[in-house]
Amino acid sequence: MADNADHPSSPASMATVVEAIARRAGEIALRHFRSLATLPVERKGHLDLVTNADREVEEYLIASLREAFPQDGFFGEEGGEIAGRSGRIWVLDPIDGTFNFVRGSHNWAVSIGLYEDHQPIFGAVYAPARDLMVTGGVTSEARINGNPVPKLPEFDVSRASTGVGLHPSLATEDRLNLLRFIFDELNINFRCCGSSTLSLIEIATGETDGYVALYDSTWDVMAGLAILASLGVSHTIDWKKVNLQDKLRFACGSDAYLARLRPLLEAA
């Protein structure tokens, strides 16, 4: 096993440290978010404004996590990639849901996921505009704003809902095939909140039964999948066959939910 001497001594202490870092990163992002609200409409979509916010938040995350966990590696959306010695990698999305961020929606979040032994093991997701902090992992109880997450509801197709993630680069036919399957085969409701991270958190809060995504990145989902693992939620990713640079086609949810999606997943 890798040398963990520099790691906090327990999952609880690690969660406390990472939650504090996520909150500070969220404060940085929120400052940029509020400054966007003061700009004229024609400037709100300017790529540099979002890129600067992403970069500043990621730089803070890496610096703070390196101080707390100096043996670990890092992999971030904005290009922050640092090799470590412990075998653990912090996978970071500084602002997931950047389109929402620019448009003034509150559905965006800072995502911090920990990857070890070919699986997500811990996650912290902070949506500062919603004052929402969610943490959890394979050895850490899932919590929302410090409170244990209630038991998830059973899958009931008569009132079921699924989250959907469709990357902008995805072919139109692939998008249509997914929506046709949801409408015609599943016959259930769907929602697309514009943030993969928060789509996963909607499962934890009971707002949806699952999530199906075509072309998500690993930094989009690393934290959320670790949190969902502590709630008994399954997914279809074989992490042993995935590089962190890969794009993902997968679904996650209860076994009953995934069974209903199996024909779509096999076709994809």
Side-chain angles (χ1 to χ4, degrees):
M1 179 173 292
D3 179 11
N4 291 334
D6 290 315
H7 298 160
S9 58
S10 71
S13 62
M14 181 182 70
T16 299
V17 169
V18 177
E19 180 175 332
I21 292 171
R23 286 190 182 279
R24 176 57 185 145
E27 291 170 4
I28 296 170
L30 194 60
R31 186 180 70 245
H32 285 277
F33 181 69
R34 288 169 175 160
S35 71
L36 282 172
T38 68
L39 294 175
V41 172
E42 65 269 17
R43 289 199 58 204
K44 283 192 176 183
H46 198 288
L47 180 61
D48 289 344
L49 298 173
V50 183
T51 301
N52 289 341
D54 272 324
R55 186 178 298 116
E56 184 178 346
V57 174
E58 184 169 299
E59 288 174 353
Y60 170 78
L61 288 172
I62 291 176
S64 299
L65 289 166
R66 284 191 80 183
E67 182 177 355
F69 310 100
Q71 300 296 320
D72 294 352
F74 298 88
F75 183 76
E77 180 185 16
E78 293 303 309
E81 187 169 1
I82 299 172
R85 297 187 295 275
S86 68
R88 308 195 322 175
I89 302 173
W90 293 94
V91 181
L92 311 171
D93 194 339
I95 301 175
D96 184 67
T98 51
F99 186 80
N100 293 342
F101 183 89
V102 170
R103 293 300 302 265
S105 167
H106 289 185
N107 280 335
W108 55 272
V110 176
S111 176
I112 304 173
L114 183 57
Y115 184 69
E116 184 178 27
D117 294 332
H118 301 288
Q119 66 172 327
I121 65 168
F122 177 78
V125 171
Y126 183 44
R130 295 172 52 179
D131 191 26
L132 176 68
M133 173 70 74
V134 189
T135 60
V138 295
T139 60
S140 304
E141 181 182 34
R143 291 182 172 271
I144 296 178
N145 289 342
N147 300 311
V149 176
K151 182 180 178 181
L152 298 182
E154 297 291 332
F155 180 71
D156 178 357
V157 70
S158 69
R159 58 191 298 272
S161 176
T162 182
V164 173
L166 300 172
H167 193 273
S169 67
L170 195 66
T172 299
E173 189 60 27
D174 285 340
R175 301 184 196 208
L176 293 176
N177 286 338
L178 172 56
L179 295 179
R180 287 191 193 105
F181 186 87
I182 292 172
F183 288 136
D184 297 340
E185 303 298 328
L186 294 183
N187 194 27
I188 66 175
N189 187 24
F190 80 95
R191 59 192 296 174
C192 184
C193 79
S195 164
S196 302
T197 295
L198 292 179
S199 291
L200 296 175
I201 297 306
E202 287 179 345
I203 303 174
T205 58
E207 298 172 69
T208 61
D209 296 283
Y211 176 64
V212 56
L214 303 180
Y215 226 56
D216 272 3
S217 297
T218 57
W219 53 71
D220 295 326
V221 302
M222 192 67 69
L225 289 179
I227 293 167
L228 290 176
S230 69
L231 297 170
V233 175
S234 302
H235 62 75
T236 62
I237 301 171
D238 184 352
W239 285 105
K240 292 182 179 179
K241 297 180 180 180
V242 171
N243 294 316
L244 291 181
Q245 298 85 357
D246 290 346
K247 297 295 185 180
L248 307 171
R249 293 181 176 229
F250 76 100
C252 65
S254 67
D255 291 341
Y257 167 88
L258 292 177
R260 295 293 297 265
L261 262 73
R262 186 165 291 116
L264 172 68
L265 299 172
E266 291 174 350

